[in-house]
Amino acid sequence: MSQYIVRIEGLHKSFGKLEVLKGVDLKVTKGEVVVVLGPSGSGKSTMLRCINKLEQPTDGRIFLEDIEITDPKTNINQVREQIGMVFQSFNLFPHLTAKANVMLAQRKVLKRDKAEASRIAEEQLRRVGLGDKMDNFPAQLSGGQQQRVAIARALAMNPHVMLFDEVTSALDPELVRGVLDVMKELAAAGMTMLVVTHEMGFARDVASRVVFMDEGVIVEEGTPEEVFDHPKSERTKDFLGHIT
Amino acid sequence: MDRSPRAVQRLLLVLALAAAMLFAVVAPALALVNPQVTLDQEQGGSPTRFTFVAITDKDASITGMDFTFPPGFDLSSVSFDTVTLEGLVRRPVNVTGAAAGETLSLKFAPSVEPSSTLRVQIHDVLTTNEGGTFPLKIAYSTESTATGTRVLSHRTDDTVKFSYTSLSFAEGISHNLDKNSFVAGWNNVKALGMFFKPQLVVTSIPTVITGWYLALVWIAFAFPIAIVGGLSFAFMKMSKIPPLRWIAAAYINVIRGTPLFLQIFVAFIGLRIAGFRVDDNVTAVAVLAMNSSAYLAEIFRAGIQSINKGQFEAASSLGMNYAQSMQYVIIPQTVKRVLPTMTSEFILLFKDTALFAAVGRPELMYQAQNIVANTGNMTPFVVIAAFYLIVTIPLINVVGRLEARLAVSEHGQSPTEKTKRRGGRLMNELAQSVDPYRATAPDSIHDDNERG
Ligand SMILES: Nc1ncnc2c1ncn2[C@@H]1O[C@H](COP(=O)(O)OP(=O)(O)OP(=O)(O)O)[C@@H](O)[C@H]1O
Ligand SMILES: [Mg+2]
């Protein structure tokens, strides 16, 4: 068994003539929290979306543990159920209650029976602090609450890794904390996570490794201290200078 | 021997009875031979001409006849004439008479010759509404010519039978309206009498309603088929396989790009000329279903594509395959969005059934045209307009309410009692708090459903 949960080798991705990813290599070990930083348009989202094949890589290989995701023979749906993904825009199913959102894929994909799916949904919703909002529809929840439901929905599938793509960017500032707290707890509980974010505080506190991306390549990576306090690359310095 | 007087008595009685019977059978009983009566109207409740024909006996000339109609017949405005027929020659008979109650008494002067064919016409007998087979009792006075002396006999036991059918309920009402002076005044106003004639409203409903049923039955079959077809074409048009996309696009464009009227003619006349013989109602359902499926396909496709791409991605990222994502995530949201447009499409389809009048299918329009052609009055058109509206107005209402509800839920509201009662302000607040859906929700998918 591979020591890496996620392994990306020479990943290229083009949209037509536009080459967005120009050879990305990244390895994530079990329990690691990798925070991906980078300016807008540098290809952070595209990289995450390649991992569960929401985007089809142009070239390169991606593995989830021992399974090669990029192998055309791989059943992508079986891989996806092991990769939790949380989006910037929540993407809750608006016609279902919070609890039904968390139950749907458990029932249809994992074929859990109703009682078990229900029990796990309640457990996960309580875990993200929404024990009292189970029967609310997404429209009746604040953005922060919706995002926490989305996290619970992904967690209920028992994923081996969680991908977070700027999950707090669409939130009002006062709602960001609640979501970040949930992610911190998750990290503390040993979840392997790949997090694209602009929250530098979160990166410093929680990341086991920080990756800086620019123009489709990984420019620099290291511990939060290394990247934030002693950046080697000019581009990294430039970027951090703008942010803080 | 005290028994004999009684035996003689009995014998006499039997003989007397036998003689009486003999007399009854032989003598003037056959004064009229082969009597028959016919009437003009097959239906009751209207003034009718009765024509009575019989051959007079060779020994008797007729001096008068009484016709007694069944109870309830109205003879107050009858007139009559009498002729004898010899081959093709008619000879008028001088007749006088009067009606009293249900009996019309006629006197012939001079009397009608023996062995002549007698025809009596009684005009404007008002029959009862209720149909059936009725007796017409005939009594007559004769003059025996055999003896040369005038022997008057009066017989009342001859009857002839006639029958007619019941007046329909609607025509019964119509007949009553005929007598109403307000209705007469109303009809005298030209615009009212021409477009809103009460009698025609009443009498056209039973006919027109059969056309209404027919149109509804067509739609009841055609629309569900169109939904299935529409979904199929929508998915074909979104398919990754190019030929499927081409077929769907061609079908949708041809159907939406040509008039339904033309499609009906092709189906009814073109196919017939080509030698295909299909049941007319099956053809009508097929044409309606095919036409509507093209419009529904575009409605469904637009509806599905209007769902935020993130919904599909979220479902995929949870490991749901294409079919599962469609079934549990995309379609339920689409249904809510397309329901108003679908209902509008249903309304259009129902109204389009009128076009089948052009190929002689007896739906609403056809029925109305027929009555208008027969009566020269526009009222049946007004009546069928009402029949269309009975269906369409409530549905237009439904569309309006569905659209309102959709507008609310698209802006971040779900229909729970608590929020419903608190009303508008809360909805606005909620709408503002849920940015992502608002930002990506499409404006409208209704533009696609305009028909020329
Ligand atoms: N589906 C697409 N089709 C064409 N171009 C795309 C597509 N998705 C992304 N791109 C382009 O790829 C580039 C990288 O996009 P990506 O979303 O990965 O950047 P990002 O690093 O996540 O930026 P941000 O911080 O703004 O989210 C951008 O120039 C974007 O316009
Ligand atoms: Mg991004």
Side-chain angles (χ1 to χ4, degrees):
Chain A
M1 171 128 172
S2 167
Q3 65 182 112
Y4 302 111
I5 300 289
V6 175
R7 183 152 54 94
I8 301 173
E9 293 175 352
L11 176 62
H12 287 259
K13 171 67 187 172
S14 302
F15 292 106
K17 285 201 183 104
L18 176 71
E19 190 173 35
V20 176
L21 297 179
K22 302 166 182 167
V24 173
D25 295 275
L26 184 68
K27 291 173 181 134
V28 184
T29 51
K30 194 168 166 55
E32 232 188 339
V33 177
V34 176
V35 170
V36 183
L37 302 178
S40 180
S42 56
K44 308 182 296 292
S45 298
T46 305
M47 182 187 74
L48 280 201
R49 291 162 59 82
C50 282
I51 294 175
N52 66 1
K53 262 200 169 173
L54 287 181
E55 302 293 355
Q56 179 70 38
T58 314
D59 195 15
R61 306 207 297 169
I62 303 173
F63 295 86
L64 177 76
E65 289 155 3
D66 293 320
I67 307 162
E68 187 190 340
I69 297 169
T70 40
D71 183 347
K73 289 192 285 275
T74 305
N75 180 345
I76 187 60
N77 290 317
Q78 271 169 24
V79 177
R80 280 171 177 165
E81 62 182 74
Q82 300 172 45
I83 303 174
M85 182 154 192
V86 186
F87 302 85
Q88 180 176 348
S89 54
F90 325 148
N91 293 343
L92 289 187
F93 307 135
H95 60 297
L96 299 177
T97 62
K99 188 170 156 188
N101 261 278
V102 183
M103 284 175 70
L104 181 64
Q106 291 190 64
R107 301 268 289 131
K108 304 302 172 192
V109 179
L110 302 181
K111 312 284 182 206
R112 286 181 184 150
D113 67 39
K114 201 171 173 184
E116 194 191 2
S118 170
R119 183 181 59 73
I120 293 172
E122 288 176 16
E123 183 184 306
Q124 294 298 346
L125 283 168
R126 254 184 248 114
R127 182 176 178 186
V128 298
L130 293 173
D132 56 340
K133 302 284 184 196
M134 309 227 192
D135 297 323
N136 287 39
F137 284 89
Q140 298 167 307
L141 299 172
S142 76
Q145 290 168 335
Q146 289 190 58
Q147 195 57 294
R148 283 184 275 151
V149 174
I151 294 171
R153 180 173 71 177
L155 289 175
M157 304 296 284
N158 297 335
H160 297 200
V161 57
M162 288 280 288
L163 312 177
F164 293 85
D165 189 3
E166 298 198 36
V167 296
T168 56
S169 300
L171 298 180
D172 292 341
E174 70 271 20
L175 301 174
V176 171
R177 262 297 283 287
V179 174
L180 291 181
D181 286 348
V182 167
M183 290 167 70
K184 272 182 202 167
E185 273 167 42
L186 212 50
M191 175 61 74
T192 311
M193 294 160 61
L194 241 139
V195 184
V196 174
T197 186
H198 293 297
E199 298 289 335
M200 295 304 153
F202 175 85
R204 255 186 206 284
D205 292 355
V206 184
S208 23
R209 185 147 50 101
V210 173
V211 170
F212 176 70
M213 266 183 90
D214 194 14
E215 295 186 355
V217 290
I218 291 176
V219 175
E220 186 166 349
E221 59 181 304
T223 62
E225 292 75 32
E226 285 167 3
V227 176
F228 285 123
D229 301 332
H230 311 287
K232 285 176 245 150
S233 153
E234 283 304 314
R235 283 196 267 178
T236 315
K237 275 181 207 160
D238 203 38
F239 174 74
L240 293 172
H242 279 291
I243 291 280
T244 45
Chain B
M1 286 297 266
D2 57 340
R3 273 171 144 218
S4 65
R6 217 182 271 176
V8 172
Q9 260 180 347
R10 206 179 285 168
L11 186 68
L12 283 175
L13 190 68
V14 170
L15 281 174
L17 272 173
M21 282 166 70
L22 201 66
F23 189 74
V25 172
V26 175
L30 296 173
L32 289 174
V33 180
N34 201 15
Q36 283 175 344
V37 67
T38 55
L39 57 168
D40 288 3
Q41 302 282 334
E42 287 175 7
Q43 240 179 17
S46 54
T48 304
R49 182 179 65 181
F50 279 71
T51 303
F52 175 85
V53 179
I55 299 166
T56 56
D57 188 76
K58 64 178 179 3
D59 291 330
S61 50
I62 312 284
T63 57
M65 293 181 75
D66 289 356
F67 293 93
T68 302
F69 288 90
F73 278 49
D74 184 353
L75 304 185
S76 53
S77 49
V78 293
S79 57
F80 41 83
D81 62 72
T82 308
V83 293
T84 57
L85 306 167
E86 278 169 34
L88 292 174
V89 183
R90 293 177 188 182
R91 289 180 209 286
V93 174
N94 192 5
V95 60
T96 55
E102 279 102 14
T103 302
L104 175 68
S105 302
L106 301 181
K107 299 233 177 322
F108 308 122
S111 56
V112 178
E113 295 291 304
S115 297
S116 52
T117 304
L118 173 69
R119 191 191 75 187
V120 180
Q121 287 188 324
I122 307 166
H123 303 271
D124 295 326
V125 176
L126 183 57
T127 51
T128 53
N129 293 352
E130 198 64 35
T133 297
F134 301 94
L136 177 63
K137 286 199 193 115
I138 303 157
Y140 42 84
S141 325
T142 54
E143 228 175 23
S144 175
T145 49
T147 57
T149 50
R150 187 179 155 144
V151 180
L152 258 180
S153 66
H154 204 83
R155 298 276 317 236
T156 58
D157 57 351
D158 266 14
T159 55
V160 284
K161 293 232 155 61
F162 62 92
S163 52
Y164 53 82
T165 58
S166 291
L167 183 65
S168 74
F169 177 69
E171 273 165 1
I173 296 174
S174 169
H175 280 228
N176 287 335
L177 290 172
D178 283 338
K179 295 177 204 145
N180 185 304
S181 62
F182 174 79
V183 170
W186 170 283
N187 288 338
N188 273 341
V189 180
K190 195 154 188 208
L192 296 179
M194 189 41 95
F195 290 95
F196 303 96
K197 188 177 179 186
Q199 289 96 320
L200 257 182
V201 170
V202 172
T203 52
S204 64
I205 285 176
T207 315
V208 150
I209 207 165
T210 61
W212 191 61
Y213 289 146
L214 184 62
L216 287 176
V217 168
W218 284 348
I219 298 298
F221 282 98
F223 201 63
I225 297 172
I227 290 175
V228 175
L231 269 177
S232 312
F233 284 116
F235 279 109
M236 276 171 74
K237 206 175 172 191
M238 293 185 295
S239 162
K240 285 196 191 105
I241 304 161
L244 286 183
R245 278 205 310 271
W246 299 334
I247 291 168
Y251 179 84
I252 291 168
N253 290 343
V254 168
I255 296 283
R256 297 200 336 153
T258 55
L260 174 56
F261 205 51
L262 174 64
Q263 293 160 18
I264 290 170
F265 269 73
V266 169
F268 274 83
I269 296 166
L271 287 186
R272 203 139 297 168
I273 291 170
F276 295 101
R277 191 76 222 190
V278 188
D279 178 80
D280 284 335
N281 288 323
V282 173
T283 312
V285 168
V287 172
L288 288 168
M290 284 173 68
N291 183 269
S292 201
S293 66
Y295 286 92
L296 287 175
E298 285 298 89
I299 293 171
F300 293 148
R301 189 189 53 79
I304 289 168
Q305 290 182 343
S306 79
I307 304 295
N308 182 356
K309 200 162 116 272
Q311 290 291 308
F312 192 78
E313 290 182 349
S316 302
S317 78
L318 290 163
M320 293 169 78
N321 60 31
Y322 182 82
Q324 289 171 329
S325 306
M326 278 295 157
Q327 185 181 349
Y328 301 113
V329 177
I330 307 297
I331 300 287
Q333 297 182 56
T334 307
V335 166
K336 211 167 99 184
R337 272 188 205 189
V338 301
L339 218 48
T341 335
M342 254 176 87
T343 314
S344 300
E345 172 57 29
F346 183 90
I347 293 171
L348 287 175
L349 194 63
F350 177 62
K351 291 190 297 182
D352 282 344
T353 57
L355 296 174
F356 287 88
V359 288
R361 299 317 305 143
E363 46 62 62
L364 272 172
M365 189 69 201
Y366 178 88
Q367 302 284 13
Q369 275 180 336
N370 255 356
I371 306 174
V372 169
N374 287 335
T375 59
N377 189 293
M378 300 291 131
T379 306
F381 287 146
V382 176
V383 172
I384 63 162
F387 272 95
Y388 285 111
L389 291 172
I390 290 170
V391 176
T392 55
I393 295 265
L395 286 177
I396 289 169
N397 220 309
V398 166
V399 172
R401 264 186 286 162
L402 286 175
E403 276 173 348
R405 221 173 66 187
L406 183 64
V408 169
S409 68
E410 295 280 297
H411 284 253
Q413 169 66 320
S414 85
T416 61
E417 275 311 306
K418 202 173 120 201
T419 47
K420 224 190 258 176
R421 262 189 255 116
R422 278 204 266 157
R425 213 167 56 88
L426 183 80
M427 291 179 191
N428 283 339
E429 280 167 19
L430 274 167
Q432 271 147 28
S433 71
V434 194
D435 248 341
Y437 292 124
R438 271 215 308 166
T440 49
D443 290 327
S444 170
I445 54 165
H446 298 240
D447 308 346
D448 236 15
N449 198 35
E450 302 275 316
R451 270 189 190 179

